[in-house]
C-alpha cells in the first residue's frame, strides 16, 4: 500500500518513512511538490502537514475533496488550534494528529483509516473461501495459510479493496513501486508478482477470482 508524506521537515519525514516499512512511502516537502504528486498519483493514505513552503496544506485538502478523491487523509501538524482541527475535519480529512506524536500511534491511525475506507472497518476480510487477517497479515484459503511475499500480499489487498473494478497495468505498477514506476520500460515485474500470487492462490484452491482483462488490466471479480 502506498503513502504520501507531505512534510517540510526532512528529518521527520525520513523518520516516518523509516518506521512505516510495510508501506511504499513517497515524500513531498513543499506545496508545489505535493500538488504535482497528487495530480499524478493516487494513495491509500496521505499524511498532510498544514504549514508548507509555498502554500497551506488546507488548500491541498480542499483540492483533493473538490476532485472527489478517495485517498485517506490524516493531517499531521504543529498547528494544534481548535479552528485548524475543525476546518481540516469538516473539509474532509479522516483524522488529525498534533505534533509531536509517537510513530506507533501514527501507524495505528493510518491502519484505521485504510481499514475503514477499503475494508468496512473490519480486521478480517472474508470472501468465500479466502480470508485475510489484516492485523497479522496472514492469508488463508479453505482454512489453510498461504505464504505470500510482501508484494504479493500488497497486490491481493489492492485487488480485494477494489473488487469488481478493472485495474490497469500502469496503476498496478504505480501501486507497487510508487513514483519509481515511470523508470521501468515494461510491466514485467508486475506480471511476475501477479503470476506468483495467482499460482499460490490456485494451488490452495481459491475460486479463480483474479481475472486478466485482455489488453486492459486485471480485476478481482466476486
Amino acid at each position: 500500500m502506498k503513502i504520501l508524506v507531505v512534510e517540510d521537515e526532512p528529518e521527520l519525514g525520513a523518520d516516518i518513512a523509516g518506521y512505516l516499512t510495510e508501506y511504499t512511502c513517497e515524500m513531498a516537502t513543499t506545496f508545489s511538490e505535493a500538488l504535482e504528486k497528487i495530480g499524478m498519483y493516487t494513495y491509500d493514505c496521505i499524511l498532510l502537514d498544514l504549514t508548507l513552503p509555498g502554500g497551506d496544506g488546507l488548500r491541498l485538502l480542499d483540492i483533493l475533496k473538490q476532485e472527489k478523491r478517495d485517498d485517506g487523509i490524516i493531517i499531521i501538524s504543529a498547528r494544534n488550534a481548535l479552528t485548524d482541527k475543525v476546518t481540516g475535519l469538516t473539509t474532509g480529512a479522516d483524522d488529525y494528529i498534533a505534533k509531536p506524536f509517537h510513530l506507533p500511534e501514527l501507524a495505528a491511525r493510518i491502519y484505521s483509516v485504510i481499514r475503514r475506507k477499503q475494508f468496512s472497518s473490519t480486521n478480517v476480510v472474508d470472501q468465500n473461501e479466502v480470508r485475510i487477517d489484516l492485523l497479522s497479515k496472514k492469508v488463508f484459503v479453505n482454512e489453510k495459510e498461504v505464504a505470500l511475499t510482501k508484494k504479493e500480499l500488497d497486490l491481493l489487498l489492492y485487488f480485494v479493496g477494489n473488487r469488481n473494478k478493472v485495474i490497469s497495468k500502469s496503476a498496478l505498477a504505480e501501486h507497487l513501486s510508487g513514483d519509481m514506476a515511470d523508470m521501468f520500460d515494461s510491466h514485467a515485474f508486475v506480471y511476475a508478482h501477479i503470476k506468483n500470487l495467482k499460482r499460490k492462490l490456485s494451488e490452495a484452491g481459491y475460486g479463480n477470482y483474479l481475472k486478466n482483462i485482455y489488453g486492459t488490466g486485471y480485476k478481482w471479480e466476486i
Side-chain angles (χ1 to χ4, degrees):
M1 293 188 176
K2 193 169 55 167
I3 307 292
L4 176 62
V5 183
V6 183
E7 170 57 58
D8 68 335
E9 299 178 38
E11 185 175 346
L12 176 57
D15 287 344
I16 292 172
Y19 188 81
L20 300 175
T21 55
E22 64 190 280
Y23 302 104
T24 298
C25 290
E26 298 177 18
M27 308 297 299
T29 58
T30 66
F31 180 91
S32 60
E33 189 177 358
L35 186 61
E36 180 181 12
K37 284 187 176 291
I38 65 175
M40 295 174 63
Y41 307 110
T42 58
Y43 298 91
D44 294 288
C45 190
I46 297 173
L47 305 181
L48 181 60
D49 191 7
L50 296 184
T51 305
L52 298 168
D56 194 314
L58 288 175
R59 174 59 183 149
L60 287 172
L61 176 59
D62 190 49
I63 291 170
L64 286 163
K65 292 307 166 182
Q66 285 179 13
E67 295 178 355
K68 298 181 179 179
R69 294 273 292 265
D70 291 329
D71 317 55
I73 302 169
I74 300 176
I75 293 174
I76 53 171
S77 180
R79 284 161 48 176
N80 197 23
L82 179 60
T83 53
D84 286 327
K85 286 186 177 180
V86 171
T87 300
L89 292 171
T90 55
T91 301
D94 297 286
D95 202 352
Y96 189 116
I97 184 168
K99 299 177 183 176
F101 49 78
H102 295 290
L103 291 173
E105 180 185 1
L106 177 63
R109 293 192 184 215
I110 292 170
Y111 171 81
S112 178
V113 166
I114 293 175
R115 181 188 61 178
R116 184 168 66 249
K117 281 187 161 294
Q118 296 186 5
F119 303 108
S120 304
S121 297
T122 184
N123 286 322
V124 178
V125 179
D126 283 303
Q127 291 196 350
N128 299 332
E129 71 282 358
V130 180
R131 186 170 86 254
I132 307 170
D133 189 315
L134 299 175
L135 284 174
S136 68
K137 298 179 176 59
K138 291 182 178 180
V139 177
F140 301 85
V141 176
N142 296 315
E143 303 303 325
K144 180 180 179 181
E145 184 176 353
V146 180
L148 300 180
T149 66
K150 178 182 174 182
K151 291 291 188 184
E152 291 161 2
L153 176 60
D154 198 3
L155 272 176
L156 178 59
L157 290 173
Y158 191 46
F159 283 126
V160 172
N162 292 278
R163 56 192 171 276
N164 296 320
K165 298 178 183 178
V166 177
I167 304 174
S168 69
K169 297 163 191 171
S170 58
L172 290 168
E174 176 195 320
H175 182 77
L176 286 176
S177 56
D179 52 9
M180 298 290 290
D182 295 337
M183 298 178 64
F184 295 99
D185 294 330
S186 73
H187 296 133
F189 74 102
V190 175
Y191 301 141
H193 288 305
I194 291 177
K195 180 181 178 181
N196 290 333
L197 173 62
K198 291 187 70 173
R199 175 181 56 79
K200 291 179 180 180
L201 293 175
S202 296
E203 289 175 351
Y206 94 121
N208 195 31
Y209 307 117
L210 183 51
K211 308 291 187 181
N212 183 357
I213 310 302
Y214 183 76
T216 305
Y218 296 86
K219 177 170 65 170
W220 184 271
E221 191 172 78
I222 293 290

